[in-house]
Amino acid sequence: MFIEIENLKSEPLHVHHAFPVGEIRFIHEDAALNEPVVTDFVLTHKDHNLHVDGTVQTAIRFVCSRCDKEFFRVFATSFDLSYLPQPKWTSEDGEIELKYDDMGVGYYDGVAFDVNLMVLEQIELAMPMNFICREDCKGLCYKCGADLNEKACQCVKEESGSCLSMLLDFKKKMDK
Ligand SMILES: [Zn+2]
Ligand SMILES: [Zn+2]
């Protein structure tokens, strides 16, 4: 979905749109979109400088990094961003450098604003660093592969080392 800047009226543009899962090119090793991506935002503009304020919502399917099971989570994030026409930065060897800073300012080509790209970036920015199905997920036994959420296995009793991650989680709770 592109918004042509030339066609914008002077008043703010309210956009509510649901992208089918395949339309947002979200690629991640351990996660995938599970529901349409719904975005709702207001776009205001002045001299080709855009301001976009709104939300993105979907559901994401993760694989738990501890127990390897699939799980689903509703995902919602809000944003408040400015987009400026891309300046022509040129480095010494003549290559155009794209520079983005993380202060809520992005760039577009000054002609058409790519809503899909913005939505994708917002999803990627808000993704957690690692995925766990729940805070106290015990994970799999590193020796026999048993799911320790379901039952303890013999190896856990024998080797306290395998409980290290559990102990760390326990310690975190105690520290709170
Ligand atoms: Zn888990
Ligand atoms: Zn085991």
Side-chain angles (χ1 to χ4, degrees):
M1 180 190 205
F2 286 93
I3 294 173
E4 305 279 341
I5 306 311
E6 288 301 315
N7 299 340
L8 284 174
K9 301 197 175 75
S10 56
E11 52 268 22
L13 176 71
H14 186 187
V15 175
H16 180 89
H17 188 74
F19 295 95
V21 168
E23 237 177 71
I24 299 295
R25 300 179 59 81
F26 175 73
I27 296 168
H28 195 288
E29 216 176 307
D30 300 313
L33 299 178
N34 198 59
E35 276 181 16
V37 179
V38 178
T39 185
D40 194 289
F41 62 87
V42 173
L43 183 149
T44 49
H45 65 105
K46 188 169 186 285
D47 303 331
H48 287 72
N49 293 348
L50 311 180
H51 185 90
V52 200
D53 188 352
T55 57
V56 170
Q57 200 173 327
T58 184
I60 291 190
R61 191 173 73 237
F62 300 110
V63 175
C64 176
S65 60
R66 289 187 196 159
C67 69
D68 240 14
K69 281 215 179 79
E70 259 194 1
F71 65 102
F72 303 89
R73 192 146 294 170
V74 171
F75 176 95
T77 184
S78 60
F79 51 86
D80 185 356
L81 303 163
S82 294
Y83 284 88
L84 311 178
Q86 176 70 59
K88 297 274 183 283
W89 279 303
T90 310
S91 66
E92 288 180 3
D93 57 9
E95 298 260 312
I96 293 171
E97 285 178 56
L98 295 177
K99 295 186 183 178
Y100 293 92
D101 68 30
D102 53 7
M103 302 302 288
V105 177
Y107 296 97
Y108 76 111
D109 64 7
V111 178
F113 178 62
D114 186 343
V115 179
N116 297 44
L117 182 62
M118 177 194 71
V119 164
L120 176 62
E121 282 176 352
Q122 293 313 302
I123 294 171
E124 286 176 342
L125 281 173
M127 289 293 281
M129 294 295 284
N130 51 36
F131 309 117
I132 46 173
C133 61
R134 55 178 213 239
E135 272 305 311
D136 62 348
C137 174
K138 296 189 181 87
L140 303 178
C141 170
Y142 77 105
K143 264 189 154 180
C144 72
D147 185 342
L148 302 176
N149 294 312
E150 283 165 14
K151 60 174 186 169
C153 62
Q154 288 307 111
C155 357
V156 172
K157 280 181 190 151
E158 287 161 18
E159 292 201 35
S160 56
S162 64
C163 295
L164 186 61
S165 65
M166 286 166 63
L167 287 173
L168 287 173
D169 283 353
F170 183 65
K171 186 174 180 299
K172 259 187 249 161
K173 279 195 193 109
M174 297 299 280
D175 289 345
K176 270 178 196 165

